[in-house]
Amino acid sequence: VHWTKEENYMFRLSAFRDPLRKWLRDNPHAISPDPFYQRVLRWLEEDLPDLSVSRERSRLQWGIPVPSDSTQTIYVWVDALVNYLSVVGYPETHGEWWPAAHHVVGKDILKFHAVYWPALLMAAGLAPPERIFVHSHWTVRGQKMSKSLGNVIDPSACIRQYSVDGFRYFLLRQGVPERDCDYYDEKVVKLVNSELADALGGLLNRSTALSINPSNTYPCFSESCFPKILDYRGTKAVGRASAEDYEFVASVASLPLQVASYFEGFQIYKALECVALCVRQTNSFFQRHRPWKLNRNDPAEKLWLDTIIHVTLECLRVYGTLLQPVIPHTADKLLSRLAVEPEERGLSGLTFLPRYSGKPCPFEGRQLGPDTGVLFHRLEKSRQHQVETEKL
């Protein structure tokens, strides 16, 4: 180690401490999750030294030269950050995108994106990004990924082993932005099998089985079996629906807004947690009423049987619609099985169980899709894990 001295171009970062603080205090959601917002505020309470934005070209030749001074090279982070503007057409057409820009960054580069970059934008007379979403890291069995330890996870291998949808679902379901999350293969297999293969896939198979729905249609809903009530809290059984049924239907009805809110707030894991809970409630509803034991030849029994299936398919339609950004291939397969057309899969027009509110249901009586295969195949434990278990 030796001391060195050189002349560089400096950016007067210190002059932007107050404007940065004002920006953050006026926009408390500019940086999220909140722990990272608080961290940036603390940085701005400390000294904010001016930033060297160039290096001597004699020792850094591979970068972009400073305009009008070929002896200096632009500091790599300044070059990198400006790409956010140049890629959207700065200085002619960037206005179509800017400032409605959302950055998604790792926690280790927070200072560059939440302090240096907004200050550079302010100096150029441009607004800071609208939102900066910050995520933490993945560890492997409690340790940081490291080439020397040989514990780096290969995403391509994971996709081959778990499928794109399975791997995406695990990462988004378990990834909590504000803290590091731990990865190991057994956890992926257990979660994906439990929530996608068993809970969601099993529910679709049971509710569309030809043994209880021989016509392979979206059956009718009976208001006499499941009459509408104004307030489900504290209610008792009405018609053939139990008190738990009303509570469950209310949970699913509130799910789309809940999920949209969590997605907007970058809390995807919470959105998926809510969906998984409702899937479990739907399985409980189906199991509670045992539609396979009802006699389809008895008119009264048939009304209730069809209502149970109708409610279950409506729930599955909601889940398939909400899960499209996370597991697009599986969601498409699910919605196609329910005969939901591509133009009927949007979030904005999503209404759950309209017949419960006395409105027509466009799916009622519709022939279900032809694909009766498995929605999501169960994952097997990795060979490596099996060998490790055998050694133990």
Side-chain angles (χ1 to χ4, degrees):
V1 178
H2 65 278
W3 288 103
T4 186
K5 184 177 181 181
E6 65 180 56
E7 287 191 354
N8 302 136
Y9 287 98
M10 305 292 291
F11 173 65
R12 196 163 290 165
L13 184 63
S14 55
F16 290 90
R17 182 160 67 167
D18 288 341
L20 287 169
R21 283 195 290 199
K22 183 178 187 308
W23 163 59
L24 289 179
R25 284 175 179 152
D26 291 347
N27 299 276
H29 300 294
I31 300 170
S32 62
D34 187 65
F36 297 112
Y37 172 81
Q38 298 298 335
R39 185 181 301 179
V40 176
L41 281 179
R42 286 195 297 273
W43 284 338
L44 295 175
E45 294 301 324
E46 302 165 1
D47 287 338
L48 202 62
D50 292 341
L51 180 67
S52 170
V53 293
S54 72
R55 302 289 186 268
E56 280 192 357
R57 192 149 189 85
S58 59
R59 70 178 183 87
L60 194 65
Q61 297 172 5
W62 55 264
I64 297 174
V66 171
S68 74
D69 189 346
S70 59
T71 68
Q72 295 280 310
T73 299
I74 293 173
Y75 174 43
V76 64
W77 265 103
V78 175
D79 166 27
L81 290 165
V82 168
N83 277 311
Y84 291 132
L85 279 175
S86 60
V87 76
V88 292
Y90 182 82
E92 286 86 13
T93 58
H94 68 285
E96 296 176 20
W97 289 81
W98 211 265
H102 289 55
H103 293 339
V104 181
V105 303
K107 66 177 184 178
D108 50 336
I109 52 174
L110 178 59
K111 184 171 281 188
F112 297 98
H113 285 83
V115 177
Y116 301 161
W117 178 228
L120 290 167
L121 288 168
M122 290 175 180
L126 295 169
E130 191 174 295
R131 300 286 294 276
I132 300 172
F133 294 120
V134 189
H135 64 79
S136 297
H137 295 163
W138 282 94
T139 58
V140 178
R141 297 187 181 277
Q143 291 183 298
K144 187 176 180 180
M145 286 193 214
S146 160
K147 289 181 181 177
S148 58
L149 289 174
N151 65 345
V152 176
I153 300 299
D154 177 2
S156 298
C158 291
I159 287 168
R160 286 193 297 272
Q161 188 172 347
Y162 308 127
S163 80
V164 175
D165 276 9
F167 194 46
R168 277 168 62 123
Y169 184 82
F170 170 78
L171 293 176
L172 291 169
R173 174 78 166 88
Q174 293 286 298
V176 180
E178 53 263 44
R179 64 176 182 270
D180 290 350
C181 300
D182 200 38
Y183 175 93
Y184 49 93
D185 291 327
E186 306 92 275
K187 189 194 284 189
V188 185
V189 172
K190 185 177 180 182
L191 177 83
V192 173
N193 279 346
S194 170
E195 296 191 357
L196 293 187
D198 297 343
L200 189 65
L203 182 64
L204 177 65
N205 284 343
R206 296 169 81 196
S207 58
T208 57
L210 289 176
S211 56
I212 63 167
N213 186 6
S215 62
N216 195 39
T217 57
Y218 214 101
C220 296
F221 177 89
S222 166
E223 292 95 333
S224 61
C225 291
F226 209 132
K228 182 175 182 180
I229 55 172
L230 295 176
D231 187 358
Y232 74 88
R233 285 162 295 194
T235 191
K236 295 180 181 177
V238 182
R240 295 195 66 162
S242 67
E244 295 96 328
D245 296 339
Y246 283 100
E247 190 173 345
F248 141 68
V249 163
S251 295
V252 181
S254 65
L255 187 64
L257 278 178
Q258 215 172 15
V259 166
S261 174
Y262 282 135
F263 273 18
E264 191 67 28
F266 197 51
Q267 294 177 304
I268 299 172
Y269 72 100
K270 285 190 177 180
L272 297 182
E273 195 176 286
C274 291
V275 173
L277 175 61
C278 284
V279 172
R280 286 198 298 273
Q281 287 181 315
T282 314
N283 271 299
S284 296
F285 164 77
F286 199 83
Q287 186 69 28
R288 184 161 58 243
H289 295 298
R290 300 170 183 255
W292 58 89
K293 294 213 167 193
L294 296 173
N295 182 4
R296 182 166 284 280
N297 296 318
D298 181 331
E301 294 279 277
K302 183 179 183 301
L303 279 180
W304 180 226
L305 170 60
D306 285 349
T307 300
I308 294 168
I309 299 171
H310 182 97
V311 171
T312 305
L313 297 189
E314 277 291 278
C315 291
L316 283 165
R317 182 174 64 85
V318 169
Y319 308 148
T321 303
L322 296 176
L323 289 170
Q324 287 176 107
V326 180
I327 46 171
H329 305 295
T330 305
D332 173 62
K333 194 174 181 180
L334 169 58
L335 294 171
S336 296
R337 178 71 177 107
L338 299 179
V340 181
E341 298 296 336
E343 65 274 11
E344 298 172 318
R345 300 180 181 188
L347 181 61
S348 57
L350 182 60
T351 54
F352 168 64
L353 205 58
R355 292 281 274 111
Y356 177 70
S357 303
K359 297 174 183 175
C361 174
F363 306 99
E364 205 169 52
R366 189 180 293 187
Q367 195 74 25
L368 296 180
D371 185 2
T372 57
V374 175
L375 179 66
F376 194 96
H377 289 276
R378 284 182 60 81
L379 302 176
E380 299 296 330
K381 290 180 181 178
S382 70
R383 177 64 190 155
Q384 182 182 1
H385 174 60
Q386 288 174 340
V387 170
E388 287 173 357
T389 306
E390 287 164 10
K391 285 179 182 176
L392 290 173

